[in-house]
Amino acid sequence: MKSLRRQLEPHAPEGHDVDTAPFLFSFPGSDRAFGPDLHVADEAAFEAAGRHADGSALSLVAELTSEPTKDVDWLDKLDTYGRVVPVYLVLDMQAQEISAFWDPSPKGYRSRTNVPFGRPLHVPAPFDFDLDTSEFAMPAEEADDEGRPGKVVERG
């Protein structure tokens, strides 16, 4: 998470803050608010009164999957973010890969790419840079004999 935040900060749109603080964002047409693991949002979104920040102020969200949250990250959040948020990154800790979704539409994201941890991932506009994912991989001693994660360790 620290590596991801550090790499995103210099590429964030002007006036946007990269943070991992627990904020809930509300989205048009959704009865549910979400608190992403990492978000990049217009700083003005946090000045408004109310219980939740406006999800339309987000320029990027990132989620690190775990067994209990994986379905929500891949289904519910993908559907909701895909209508509003310009870039969504899913760090799939079980599959050891990262996916980038972009070009939101009323029906969800129009574009996606994914790479295994260790390979660079191009983060689309408004960031437009290659993210180094080499620090995201789980150390070999934390994997089983077939290379699957032995336990979830949040990195990135």
Side-chain angles (χ1 to χ4, degrees):
M1 188 71 79
K2 189 176 186 179
S3 173
L4 180 60
R5 181 179 180 176
R6 192 174 51 245
Q7 291 184 68
L8 285 169
E9 284 176 337
H11 302 282
E14 188 170 334
H16 285 226
D17 187 42
V18 180
D19 205 346
T20 57
F23 285 105
L24 287 175
F25 293 89
S26 60
F27 298 88
S30 179
D31 295 334
R32 188 170 173 192
F34 289 114
D37 292 329
L38 180 143
H39 64 267
V40 183
D42 189 318
E43 294 170 350
F46 306 103
E47 297 169 3
R51 194 170 150 202
H52 302 121
D54 182 3
S56 64
L58 291 160
S59 55
L60 181 145
V61 291
E63 300 288 357
L64 280 74
T65 66
S66 66
E67 283 302 326
T69 68
K70 190 173 185 171
D71 288 344
V72 173
D73 294 337
W74 279 111
L75 301 172
D76 300 347
K77 291 181 180 183
L78 179 61
D79 180 59
T80 301
Y81 296 157
R83 299 171 195 276
V84 179
V85 181
V87 179
Y88 177 34
L89 302 178
V90 179
L91 287 80
D92 191 320
M93 304 310 289
Q94 293 71 41
Q96 294 286 289
E97 64 183 19
I98 182 170
S99 296
F101 296 88
W102 70 98
D103 196 11
S105 78
K107 294 183 179 184
Y109 288 109
R110 292 183 187 107
S111 300
R112 172 190 180 175
T113 189
N114 66 298
V115 298
F117 289 165
R119 289 198 182 153
L121 172 82
H122 185 75
V123 180
F127 297 85
D128 197 29
F129 79 103
D130 289 337
L131 179 71
D132 176 3
T133 69
S134 62
E135 292 182 16
F136 302 171
M138 188 176 298
E141 66 271 8
E142 294 178 21
D144 68 13
D145 293 335
E146 296 178 29
R148 294 181 304 239
K151 64 180 180 176
V152 175
V153 175
E154 291 189 3
R155 299 210 187 277

